[in-house]
Amino acid sequence: MDIYSIKSRLRRSEDCWKWSEEDRKLAHELLRGDTLYHRIPEFNIKELTEVALAVGADTCGRVVQHYNCSDPLRLARMLKVRVLFDISPSRKNSSVNILSSYRHAPPTISVYEGNLRACREFIMKKNKVNKIYLSNLTNICVAHEIYHHLERCSLTFVDLAYKVPVLDLKIFRIEKSLTTLSEIAANAFAMKLMNLPGLPCVINRELKGENIRL
């Protein structure tokens, strides 16, 4: 599945292509964090971020319409996805401590409460992020992981929309996908599902230099 086939599946009637400049910048920051970013031709970068955002928003529209539900925890139950709350302390020696994760067999979302607490405490000291993100951080994490569950179930991974060549020996060629595209889509999904003022990955910007990320 390439970028054009993905675009053709998106519902044009949905308002999934309209994003603020700030959200576009946040999506670009996520993509720039991909280890393969430097291999993406410059003319593809804007289109890739736009498509990833649109896929997340479009997926949200379809799910909400089908289940008539926009509450992440309730939606997880309807999708038969178990949500576990890991209360173990934040692992400060880890290179990166994530706030949540998804495992597909059986479908399980894990929310790491120790990392969430550390995240809240750090951001509250800076007092720059809209408090709606902090008060809804658990649900944001669940919503983010629900997107990964949905893409796993449908086997429509937006990160496969574009392959970056990493080795070309003429006889054979090795390409890798941009996993960050799925992260952009998951952020767009969470934003639309919860009617947030912007992409929740704005939290990552405030956590720069810390070993925690959304």
Side-chain angles (χ1 to χ4, degrees):
M1 181 178 293
D2 59 25
I3 194 169
Y4 301 106
S5 60
I6 286 179
K7 287 173 72 173
S8 68
R9 295 179 58 177
L10 298 176
R11 295 184 294 181
R12 295 290 170 176
S13 60
E14 293 294 323
D15 189 22
C16 60
W17 294 96
K18 295 180 181 178
W19 298 90
S20 70
E21 282 305 309
E22 175 64 9
D23 287 326
R24 288 191 176 95
K25 286 179 183 177
L26 286 166
H28 185 211
E29 285 176 19
L30 278 180
L31 185 61
R32 196 165 54 223
D34 197 293
T35 55
L36 297 174
Y37 178 82
H38 66 287
R39 293 178 176 268
I40 308 171
E42 189 173 348
F43 64 86
N44 283 131
I45 291 172
K46 182 179 179 181
E47 184 178 36
L48 288 171
T49 54
E50 289 282 341
V51 168
L53 288 168
V55 167
D58 183 70
T59 303
C60 177
R62 292 174 188 271
V63 168
V64 170
Q65 183 179 46
H66 182 78
Y67 290 97
N68 191 29
C69 176
S70 58
D71 177 82
L73 290 170
R74 184 167 164 241
L75 184 58
R77 288 195 297 271
M78 297 171 81
L79 290 166
K80 296 182 172 28
V81 179
R82 182 173 55 169
V83 179
L84 299 179
F85 295 94
D86 187 334
I87 60 173
S88 58
S90 177
R91 292 167 293 177
K92 294 183 179 180
N93 294 327
S94 298
S95 57
V96 175
N97 287 331
I98 56 175
L99 301 182
S100 58
S101 64
Y102 169 72
R103 185 177 72 245
H104 72 276
T108 305
I109 292 170
S110 295
V111 179
Y112 304 106
E113 290 291 338
N115 293 343
L116 258 67
R117 185 166 53 254
C119 173
R120 289 190 185 99
E121 290 173 355
F122 179 79
I123 291 178
M124 283 178 70
K125 291 177 184 176
K126 302 184 77 172
N127 199 30
K128 290 183 179 180
V129 171
N130 190 321
K131 287 191 172 75
I132 193 171
Y133 296 107
L134 295 184
S135 60
N136 290 284
L137 195 50
T138 297
N139 280 345
I140 288 172
C141 290
V142 174
H144 182 107
E145 302 304 339
I146 283 175
Y147 174 80
H148 291 309
H149 169 71
L150 293 169
E151 69 175 353
R152 176 79 190 192
C153 289
S154 64
L155 297 179
T156 52
F157 299 95
V158 68
D159 56 333
L160 299 180
Y162 186 83
K163 299 284 188 67
V164 178
V166 294
L167 183 64
D168 192 348
L169 298 178
K170 294 185 179 180
I171 301 175
F172 66 94
R173 190 183 194 189
I174 298 176
E175 297 177 321
K176 287 188 177 181
S177 61
L178 296 164
T179 56
T180 312
L181 294 178
S182 282
E183 294 304 307
I184 295 171
N187 273 274
F189 178 89
M191 173 185 166
K192 295 297 184 180
L193 185 69
M194 300 183 62
N195 196 28
L196 297 170
L199 292 179
C201 58
V202 68
I203 293 171
N204 289 348
R205 183 184 286 171
E206 299 305 317
L207 290 170
K208 192 172 183 180
E210 293 298 300
N211 62 337
I212 305 171
R213 68 171 174 81
L214 181 64

